[in-house]
Amino acid sequence: MGLLESWRETAYSTETDKKVLGEFWSDYFQKEKSIYEVLLQNPEEAVSGTVKELAEKFGVTVMEMTGFLDGINESLKVPNPIEEMDEDTPVSLDFDNEKLYKNMVDAKADWLYQLPAWDAIFDVEKRHSLYLEAKKMNTVVKGKKIGRNDPCPCGSGKKYKFCCGRS
């Protein structure tokens, strides 16, 4: 079983007691926050190494680093091969600042997108703009419903009920 599969099996287990799983996530989120605090101090530096080296560098287990890599992968300039990685796989944490911020907002991770380190990266207006963009990313906008007596949108000139609205 690969690292990612093991991480997901542990982190999203339906058989683990909810209290134990809650403590697991609470502990993980604190470690994740501390890693981001370090990374955001120098956002232009592309941190890289093997999964094991990065785990040691940030003081977490290989499994926790796997979870971190799973979470940050969509925000990276070049995604890591997380599906088939093992502890000796070289990975990079070279993230896109805007993508990372928007993904944190999208994940509702306020403990991450409200980190003070973001103040040095984006001004208040830019953060607000990115926040709004992230909120709109998953908003579904339905088009106006076509009434049966409205002109058909295909352009035939007929009423919808006599054209494309026929069953």
Side-chain angles (χ1 to χ4, degrees), residues 47-102:
V47 177
S48 60
T50 65
V51 177
K52 186 176 182 179
E53 289 169 350
L54 291 177
E56 290 169 2
K57 175 178 179 155
F58 293 108
V60 296
T61 65
V62 169
M63 197 55 60
E64 290 164 336
M65 181 50 66
T66 301
F68 183 83
L69 290 166
D70 186 23
I72 197 173
N73 210 44
E74 287 183 22
S75 303
L76 299 176
K77 293 175 182 172
V78 178
N80 289 312
I82 60 171
E83 296 291 335
E84 58 269 348
M85 72 182 175
D86 60 35
E87 62 181 32
D88 296 319
T89 303
V91 292
S92 170
L93 298 179
D94 188 15
F95 56 88
D96 178 291
N97 295 341
E98 290 187 11
K99 262 191 197 176
L100 181 62
Y101 188 84
K102 289 193 284 191

Side-chain angles (χ1 to χ4, degrees), residues 75-133:
S75 303
L76 299 176
K77 293 175 182 172
V78 178
N80 289 312
I82 60 171
E83 296 291 335
E84 58 269 348
M85 72 182 175
D86 60 35
E87 62 181 32
D88 296 319
T89 303
V91 292
S92 170
L93 298 179
D94 188 15
F95 56 88
D96 178 291
N97 295 341
E98 290 187 11
K99 262 191 197 176
L100 181 62
Y101 188 84
K102 289 193 284 191
N103 286 337
M104 287 175 171
V105 171
D106 189 43
K108 298 176 178 66
D110 57 340
W111 65 95
L112 297 177
Y113 69 79
Q114 291 178 353
L115 285 169
W118 284 111
D119 296 342
I121 301 169
F122 299 124
D123 62 25
V124 176
E125 288 178 21
K126 181 67 174 176
R127 282 197 315 274
H128 182 68
S129 166
L130 292 172
Y131 181 87
L132 293 177
E133 281 181 44

